[in-house]
Amino acid sequence: MNTKLIIVDGHSSVGKSSISKSVYKQISLEHDAYWLHEECENHPIRHNEFSFGKLDTAEGMELNRIGMLEKWAGFRDSIKASGKVCITEGCFLHAYDRYFIHSLWNENDIVTYCSQVVEIISGLNPLLVFLYRPDLRTSLEKAFIARGQWWRDLMLRRDDLHVYFRDHIYVDENSMFDAIKYEQTKMIEIFERLQCSKIKIDTSQEHWDRYVQEIIACSGLTYRTVQPHPCDLAPYLGTYRLQNGAEGDEWIIHYDETNKRLYTTLFWPYMPMQCVADSVFELISFPVELHFQKNQDCMQFRVHGNYEWEYNDQIFVKV
């Protein structure tokens, strides 16, 4: 396999995590590979991203350009040294809505920087996957239900410094939906100007297997159907409390009758789970596994994951 780096990018709610993780699983069937969720611990790009200088000064953005290009060079070298294929999500063009909307850079500055990144990683024969949805508002509204009010408030928080409002007047939250749509449009424009192997996918229909098949085909591999691990889900249902934790430290696992799978309400109202091995479940779209065992007739699990939160390696006991 010539491609050593696959970047799955796009705006929030379009399926970056789910698709990038599925692509990783497919590639790992034939090659040594690893997956980086954008919020994993010490992500080689996301960790302290664009923190080298101020976004609103020319000097600060030049420091950011130099610092970020050095991070990408280090990332490239680490992938080469590992001999593995790396699949990562949301750490490239997603910088537009995280940083560029508040920076001094114009569109040519942004494209120049992105092109410099592509040049640095070119030896990895990278594949850039851009996911999008023409009706991004509907996609976000659906995500708000799964992720909760706090995430809605975060995404629609008034932002008068946003580049969109240099030419538009903020009226209400509809203005922020318009600003987010503008962000996606600009990300697509940047994507289309980059010179590298790339594929753009509209994920509106949520045909996840088909999208993964398209990406795998672009990687020169053959998609392989993997049967789910057989499992009786009933024993894992219930409320679990952090060992020696307060009453509020609870992890509740429910059964989704429609989709025939478990889900938890840890910090999103709906976080789907699937069984991947005997007594082992993963949080779909997250780099997290729950390893269950019975201890004195009481079910418990330990959290295993590469994710920036306090639950790593903690034990939860069923109550």
Side-chain angles (χ1 to χ4, degrees), residues 240-259:
Y240 296 78
R241 185 167 298 159
L242 182 64
Q243 193 175 52
N244 302 320
E247 185 172 339
D249 294 325
E250 294 179 345
W251 196 315
I252 303 174
I253 298 176
H254 303 274
Y255 180 67
D256 180 341
E257 180 65 40
T258 300
N259 295 301

Side-chain angles (χ1 to χ4, degrees), residues 33 167 199 223:
D167 300 315
I199 178 175
Y223 180 87

Side-chain angles (χ1 to χ4, degrees), residues 62 78 147 228 256 272 307:
E62 177 60 14
S78 69
R147 302 183 186 186
D256 180 341
Y307 194 70

Side-chain angles (χ1 to χ4, degrees), residues 103-116:
S103 78
L104 289 185
W105 279 357
N106 59 35
E107 291 179 27
N108 286 332
D109 294 327
I110 296 170
V111 171
T112 296
Y113 163 75
C114 291
S115 297
Q116 289 173 327

Side-chain angles (χ1 to χ4, degrees), residues 15-247:
K16 296 188 302 298
S17 298
S18 298
I19 290 179
S20 61
K21 189 174 187 180
S22 295
V23 168
Y24 152 71
K25 288 186 173 183
Q26 279 290 316
I27 292 177
S28 64
L29 294 174
E30 298 186 32
H31 299 274
D32 285 340
Y34 63 104
W35 174 57
L36 294 175
H37 187 281
E38 62 182 349
E39 301 298 339
C40 71
E41 293 182 304
N42 300 316
H43 191 292
I45 300 301
R46 281 284 288 133
H47 183 65
N48 293 329
E49 188 178 22
F50 283 91
S51 63
F52 302 94
K54 294 182 178 180
L55 300 177
D56 58 355
T57 69
E59 296 80 5
M61 286 307 292
E62 177 60 14
L63 290 173
N64 278 317
R65 184 186 68 82
I66 294 171
M68 289 305 300
L69 293 181
E70 289 177 351
K71 284 174 76 71
W72 279 102
F75 187 27
R76 172 203 62 200
D77 293 344
S78 69
I79 294 172
K80 286 184 176 180
S82 74
K84 300 179 180 180
V85 180
C86 177
I87 299 89
T88 188
E89 58 133 347
C91 61
F92 184 29
L93 297 180
H94 206 8
Y96 187 89
D97 63 284
R98 287 189 172 123
Y99 308 103
F100 298 156
I101 57 173
H102 296 140
S103 78
L104 289 185
W105 279 357
N106 59 35
E107 291 179 27
N108 286 332
D109 294 327
I110 296 170
V111 171
T112 296
Y113 163 75
C114 291
S115 297
Q116 289 173 327
V117 171
V118 169
E119 178 62 27
I120 286 173
I121 62 177
S122 61
L124 300 173
N125 297 307
L127 173 62
L128 178 57
V129 180
F130 188 80
L131 311 178
Y132 74 102
R133 296 191 179 182
D135 187 356
L136 188 55
R137 176 167 185 157
T138 296
S139 177
L140 288 167
E141 293 282 17
K142 184 175 180 179
F144 295 154
I145 296 173
R147 302 183 186 186
Q149 184 66 36
W150 70 270
W151 198 75
R152 189 181 202 282
D153 293 341
L154 176 67
M155 293 296 295
L156 299 182
R157 182 175 55 198
R158 179 170 179 166
D159 183 3
D160 292 330
L161 299 179
H162 193 293
V163 64
Y164 177 79
F165 294 111
R166 295 174 188 172
D167 300 315
H168 301 81
I169 302 299
Y170 178 90
V171 178
D172 52 27
E173 72 173 23
N174 291 309
S175 299
M176 284 308 304
F177 276 115
D178 291 338
I180 293 171
K181 180 180 179 180
Y182 174 89
E183 293 168 5
Q184 178 175 256
T185 299
K186 292 303 178 183
M187 291 163 73
I188 291 174
E189 291 175 358
I190 296 166
F191 169 84
E192 292 178 343
R193 292 176 63 180
L194 296 177
Q195 301 299 312
C196 63
S197 296
K198 55 188 178 181
I199 178 175
K200 184 170 69 172
I201 300 174
D202 177 354
T203 63
S204 300
Q205 299 302 312
E206 300 189 357
H207 295 157
W208 305 117
D209 286 344
R210 190 184 76 195
Y211 308 144
V212 173
Q213 290 176 34
E214 291 181 33
I215 297 168
I216 292 301
C218 286
S219 304
L221 301 179
T222 300
Y223 180 87
R224 292 164 58 180
T225 300
V226 179
Q227 297 300 323
H229 190 84
C231 179
D232 177 11
L233 302 179
Y236 303 98
L237 296 173
T239 298
Y240 296 78
R241 185 167 298 159
L242 182 64
Q243 193 175 52
N244 302 320
E247 185 172 339

Side-chain angles (χ1 to χ4, degrees), residues 295-309:
N295 186 20
Q296 297 178 346
D297 296 326
C298 182
M299 186 71 81
Q300 64 182 40
F301 65 82
R302 182 184 294 272
V303 182
H304 294 256
N306 180 17
Y307 194 70
E308 285 200 277
W309 60 358

